Each structure stands twice: as C-alpha cells, then as structure tokens.
Amino acid sequence: MFKKIKLFFIIAETPLHPGSGGELGLVDLPIQRERYTDFPKIEASGLKGCIREAFESQLTLDKQNKQYRLLNNEVIGCLKKEFKNIEEIWREKKNGKEVENTDRDGNKLILYQQAINNIFGPEDGEAHAGALAFTDARILLFPVKSLKGVFAWITCPMVLERFKEDLRLAREIPNELNIDFSTLENTLPQQTNICIESKVVLEEYTFEVRESETTSKIAEFLSEKIFPDTNTNAPYKFWRKKLEKDLVILSNDDFTQFVKTSTEIITRTKIDNKTGTVASGALWTEEYLPQDTILYSLAMASPVRVEKEEAKGVLKGNTPEEEAKKVLEFFESGCPEVLQIGGNQTIGKGLVRIQIFK
C-alpha cells in the first residue's frame, strides 16, 4: 500500500505527442485519450519510463576506472544534499563475502543505480516491484486561441473536481478549492485581459461570461502552484500573471469539445531523395497536445520491496513510512526540471517542465 503521495504538474514547453498507435480515422497517429471522456492523457507506463530515463541520464561511465559516476550539475547537487553517499560503490554480500556490484561488462555500479532499481524496479527479471508508482497524467488546463489576449487557458468543473480529489489523496486540501465548481461555468477572473463586453471569443466560438471573485482565487491559486514565485522560477513571471487573469471555466461539454477538436494536427512527409517527391506511402498526420497545455499526475511511494535490509541502500528507513518518505524525497530532489515525453524527440517535440506541488 502506498504510504506517501505527491502531486506534480507537467507543463508542455513544446507540442506533445503521447501517441496511442495508428488508427483508421482522420488522424493517422492520434494522442492518448480517456476512453469515456475523450480527455487527453499520458499513460502512467510511458510517464514512468520517461522519468526513469531522465534519472539514468544523470550517469556517466568513467572508462578508465570502469566505474559509473554522477554528472556534476544542479540536479545532482540537490540530490547529494539529501543522500550524501549515493556515489559510493554498490556492494552486496554474496556467499558470505562482500563484493562490488557490476554490470555485464564489469563496470562498477554505484548506490545511485541501486536506488533507481529499488524505486523503479529492476530492468531485468521480476525480482521485485518498484517502490514508486505514477497515475495517468490528467488534463488540468488547455490553451485555446482567443480573439483578445492571444490565448486563454480553459478548464471545467469536472476537471477541477478531479483535481481537488487527487489533492485529497495526496493529503493536500487547499481552502481555495473547497467550493462547488458547478456554479462557476462561463466565469473568468476579475480584471481579465481577454473579455470583450462580457464575451470571450475562443477559436470561432463566442461565450457570454461573467467575472467572478471565486474564479480569481482559483486562478491565483493555480498560478502560484504551477509557476511559483521563487528565484529559480523568475523567468515564468509573465506566465504567472497571465494565468491569474486569462483562465476561463467553461461547461464540461464545451471543454470536451475544445480538447477533442482544438489539438494540433500536423502533416508529415518523407521526400524521396532520387525523385524529390513524397516517397510512396510516406504521407501521414500526427496529433499533438499544444504547447502550454498543463497536466498533472500523482507520484505514489511505498516502502522498498526488496527482501534483504542491506539491499535497500540509501532508501533504508526505520519504518515503512520513513522509507516511503525517502523514496518521494529521492524523486523530488533528483527529477530534472525538464523532461522529454512522447514521440518525435528529434524534431523538438515533447519537452515538458516538471513542477512539484508545494
């Protein structure tokens, strides 16, 4: 059972293609969606794999000494403050003797790699499950073109209710969200930048709206959590201010229509070098979540599941709760701020920024 849960935001810095495979519809390669709502999502398995890869990318091999080392960067610096000995060699007892653990090529592994194995599960075999799990990433805010103010972030009562319940699972129950969202349809914050005479024009649709003090408080709350005002996040001041003013709460049905029809559809081709024309069969369409889409997921930690106490390494705790807390601290301290999720990494797609809820 999970002992600790933490919510984190996923902010799309470039268009995002969490693909669901090929289909026979109008779009050849659509994105992943919830079955019964059609809301975009990112499958937990894909999210976990991307985060594991980000952790593993912090390693480099010292070929001369045949030993792995950690990169010298800000992320690892933060991690070392919490786990001071993670760069020591990973030693295990075998046949009563303590030996250095190595990979198949004889390169020495370090405690950081042991922690990755314990947190995400071993790459080979099924010796034990990982101590960290993720939920599917759910949509929270979706950017839509606005006649005034360039674009607005939209959401709906159903999405906000889900968000509140997920925060409750994480034992974070903010007063700002203890309200009935169903009364806030077609509202936006006070002194918004996108309203034209009590109307907003999103894509080609016009909505009658009203300014709401409650919506202002929700927008300020989300803005502070997604774009926190710290020295390290100073570059996001513009986006923090924009979210405070340019949030629109639509009805559930209107929100559904936008997330179904206002994603980006890109046509791609492959040119035949000999003829200079499109290669046979190499014309297809891909669907993307637009840049500035904001999703969230839950990271859920359990005690380390290995049998031997000495195999828990830097994550060993005196109680199951303490171990789960260390697992979450390892994730929070060591997760890079920017990750790549989904397909088409080589053409700049899928860059996201991770913001832990605090």
Side-chain angles (χ1 to χ4, degrees):
M1 186 63 185
F2 300 111
K3 302 290 184 183
K4 301 287 181 183
I5 300 176
K6 197 74 177 178
L7 185 143
F8 61 98
F9 298 103
I10 302 168
I11 304 140
E13 299 288 352
T14 63
L16 190 61
H17 179 69
S20 63
E23 287 195 3
L24 298 177
L26 294 175
V27 180
D28 298 310
L29 298 174
I31 58 174
Q32 297 162 3
R33 291 181 180 276
E34 295 175 0
R35 180 68 178 173
Y36 64 104
T37 64
D38 266 343
F39 289 177
K41 68 171 182 176
I42 303 173
E43 288 282 352
S45 57
L47 185 60
K48 182 181 177 183
C50 293
I51 293 175
R52 178 178 189 136
E53 182 187 16
F55 271 87
E56 291 177 340
S57 69
Q58 301 296 320
L59 285 164
T60 182
L61 178 61
D62 181 345
K63 293 183 180 178
Q64 187 175 357
N65 296 317
K66 297 195 69 173
Q67 179 183 334
Y68 287 92
R69 296 191 184 281
L70 288 168
L71 299 177
N72 183 20
N73 59 32
E74 187 176 350
V75 173
I76 295 302
C78 291
L79 192 62
K80 284 182 176 178
K81 289 181 182 177
E82 301 291 335
F83 302 89
K84 300 185 187 306
N85 57 337
I86 55 173
E87 210 166 12
E88 292 179 5
I89 294 173
W90 173 1
R91 293 182 171 83
E92 283 189 339
K93 282 187 178 178
K94 293 182 180 177
N95 300 323
K97 295 182 179 179
E98 191 174 76
V99 297
E100 294 175 344
N101 208 331
T102 61
D103 65 12
R104 292 175 180 172
D105 298 322
N107 302 306
K108 298 172 188 174
L109 304 176
I110 59 177
L111 294 182
Y112 179 82
Q113 289 158 299
Q114 183 189 35
I116 290 178
N117 254 19
N118 287 338
I119 287 176
F120 295 100
E123 283 280 46
D124 300 323
E126 298 178 350
H128 62 87
L132 188 64
F134 298 93
T135 62
D136 291 347
R138 291 175 165 178
I139 189 79
L140 177 62
L141 303 175
F142 187 77
V144 176
K145 182 167 63 178
S146 170
L147 182 62
K148 186 181 179 188
V150 185
F151 81 90
W153 274 292
I154 63 169
T155 187
C156 69
M158 180 177 170
V159 166
L160 291 172
E161 285 288 353
R162 281 179 162 190
F163 180 61
K164 182 169 69 176
E165 290 308 310
D166 285 334
L167 280 175
R168 199 184 306 278
L169 281 176
R171 297 181 181 177
E172 302 272 4
I173 310 174
N175 292 329
E176 292 88 341
L177 299 185
N178 273 333
I179 50 181
D180 181 5
F181 298 114
S182 65
T183 62
L184 298 176
E185 288 185 3
N186 289 12
T187 63
L188 31 64
Q190 295 166 314
Q191 300 177 337
T192 181
N193 300 313
I194 58 175
C195 193
I196 307 171
E197 297 180 349
S198 301
K199 295 183 177 64
V200 291
V201 181
L202 304 175
E203 297 285 358
E204 65 269 38
Y205 303 102
T206 302
F207 297 89
E208 287 280 352
V209 292
R210 59 184 170 86
E211 295 185 359
S212 162
E213 183 180 355
T214 305
T215 303
S216 289
K217 291 180 179 177
I218 294 172
E220 289 172 11
F221 170 79
L222 293 174
S223 175
E224 289 173 4
K225 298 300 181 184
I226 297 170
F227 305 107
D229 187 8
T230 66
N231 290 334
T232 54
N233 283 310
Y236 300 107
K237 181 178 178 181
F238 172 82
W239 303 107
R240 186 162 54 247
K241 295 296 182 185
K242 181 170 179 61
L243 180 52
E244 286 178 3
K245 299 296 181 186
D246 296 348
L247 173 72
V248 185
I249 301 177
L250 296 175
S251 69
N252 296 331
D253 290 340
D254 289 335
F255 178 81
T256 303
Q257 285 303 308
F258 276 114
V259 296
K260 286 171 65 176
T261 60
S262 295
T263 51
E264 292 183 9
I265 308 298
I266 296 176
T267 301
R268 295 188 59 189
T269 61
K270 180 180 179 182
I271 302 300
D272 187 317
N273 289 339
K274 293 181 179 178
T275 64
T277 59
V278 176
S280 177
L283 175 65
W284 72 98
T285 53
E286 295 175 341
E287 185 180 24
Y288 287 84
L289 277 172
Q291 182 177 333
D292 297 314
T293 300
I294 298 173
L295 307 100
Y296 69 92
S297 173
L298 296 178
M300 304 178 291
S302 66
V304 179
R305 301 173 191 267
V306 295
E307 292 182 5
K308 298 179 180 177
E309 287 295 308
E310 62 269 23
K312 294 181 178 179
V314 298
L315 302 174
K316 183 179 177 181
N318 295 320
T319 64
E321 286 76 16
E322 186 178 327
E323 277 183 16
K325 183 182 177 186
K326 285 191 174 186
V327 169
L328 264 189
E329 287 175 349
F330 194 93
F331 166 67
E332 287 186 55
S333 304
C335 186
E337 184 181 11
V338 177
L339 305 178
Q340 196 279 330
I341 293 177
N344 297 324
Q345 181 178 9
T346 58
I347 54 174
K349 308 299 186 185
L351 292 179
V352 302
R353 188 168 59 82
I354 301 297
Q355 179 62 51
I356 306 289
F357 183 94
K358 295 179 181 176

